[in-house]
Amino acid sequence: MKKLILPLLALLLACLALTAAAESAEAPETLLERACRIAEDSDGLIVMTEDDLYDLIGIPPEDWADFAYLADYDALSGRELIVVRAVDEEAADRVAAMLTAYLEGRMRVTRNYLPEAYKSLSEAQVLREGLLTVLSIAAPNPEEAGLLLQEE
Amino acid sequence: MKRLIACILLLVCLAPAALAERLDDEVLLSYYDNSVIFGDSITEAFRRYRSAVRQTDDSFLDGTTVICVSSISLYAASRRFLSGEFHFSYRGSEKTMYQITKEIKPERIFILLGLNDPVGIKIDKAVVWVEDIITHMPEFSPDTEIYFFSETPVTPGFCEWKGRPNYQEKINEYNVKLRETCEAHGAHYVEIAEALKGEDGYLNPVYSSDNRCHFSDEGVAVWIECMKDYAQEQYDLGLWDPFAAPEEPVASGEAQEGA
């Protein structure tokens, strides 16, 4: 009986291990998961919604395949991280343009009002790699945007 | 007999109070569904607070759109064209409050502006700007009701920073005028200032994030409580029924049948 049970247990464990591996292989990391992993302060950031992405920045749902939008709870700190994977090259052009306009608008508003936030914004850039565009503002790690793009 | 009459009178007076029910928070906040809140940097704290709460409760004020930009003035917002340095932005474009309202067609808009003018030293002009908004908004969205939050209090530190030691008194004066103007022109006034004040009549420091004019979490929480109280008041007055079935659009065939 023992000779039968042990191999059966081993087979069961092997099946479970294979299933878990298959599940993790089937579920690619989302941009939000990637952003939360790479952003050193992600625990303290708010996850903004697709409505925020559209209403605040102007990126419509039909232009993106995936996105991550994180922002500091303190609205006056300027800290934000926006990562968007567009559906195609034309959409990626529009996304980059919207993020650039958003950055410029934030700089205009903070210039005479929030000098620290303005400084962070003026050091930020919209970076793009293929269909992926990143705007990283006031990140604790200045390499944050590059790290996000590298993994694409 | 007299005692009986007295008891009956007492019951008649107390019965309405006993019957008045405090609605659930979720029901009260549904008053703000299909609404837009326009504001400046003070409203930024509200927007982030809402986003933070929605990390765990995505139904929280999910029917409310919050549009704010730091430094925008009541004057600039009252203009029907883009005026001044700061403008509202919606879906990637700078737009006037009127254009945004026309685009969204909300049931209600709520406005909290005036800190950047500042209205306290321009009370009469500010009243004109408020009248302009009330007068012109229907041209863009005739079915949208207009609400003004009371101008929120500031700390003594703010008054000192601005070199205006009596500025809080001026805000108080402005709010009286704001209420009168709303009532005279068919708009609505939502009182939030009093609950935010400390015993000294200034912004309670517990409710301030910067010891000037911006709100802490506790301050925003008080603001939201005031919003709930206002919704409850509308319900108590019979002006709002959150339980009413939504009107179904009448098909053109049915309309003709009854004619």
Side-chain angles (χ1 to χ4, degrees), chain A residues 46-48 52 54-58 71-76 80 98 108-109 111 113, chain B residues 41 44 47-49 51-52 55 65 69-71 85-86 89-92 94 214 217:
Chain A
I46 302 171
V47 176
M48 306 294 269
D52 295 322
Y54 192 11
D55 292 350
L56 303 181
I57 302 176
D72 195 350
Y73 184 79
D74 178 5
L76 305 179
E80 288 185 280
M98 281 298 176
R108 214 167 28 248
V109 165
R111 184 168 44 227
Y113 171 59
Chain B
S41 58
E44 288 270 9
R47 185 168 69 185
R48 290 297 169 93
Y49 181 96
S51 293
Q55 305 296 289
T65 302
V69 62
S70 298
S71 304
E85 195 180 351
F86 305 107
S89 175
Y90 180 63
R91 296 193 170 173
E94 290 191 333
H214 297 105
D217 290 358

Side-chain angles (χ1 to χ4, degrees), chain A residues 59-136:
Chain A
I59 300 173
E62 55 266 26
D63 272 0
W64 55 264
D66 195 7
F67 80 95
Y69 182 4
L70 302 174
D72 195 350
Y73 184 79
D74 178 5
L76 305 179
S77 81
R79 170 67 173 132
E80 288 185 280
L81 172 59
I82 306 151
V83 191
V84 182
R85 183 182 295 120
V87 293
D88 56 35
E89 287 289 331
E90 284 183 8
D93 290 341
R94 289 193 293 272
V95 166
M98 281 298 176
L99 287 174
T100 302
Y102 178 71
L103 176 61
E104 290 168 355
R106 294 284 294 137
M107 287 175 64
R108 214 167 28 248
V109 165
T110 57
R111 184 168 44 227
N112 297 320
Y113 171 59
L114 293 170
E116 284 185 23
Y118 177 74
K119 183 173 179 298
S120 298
L121 287 157
S122 58
E123 291 168 355
Q125 278 183 287
V126 175
L127 299 177
R128 180 176 160 185
E129 182 69 41
L131 298 180
L132 194 72
T133 311
V134 177
L135 173 57
S136 165

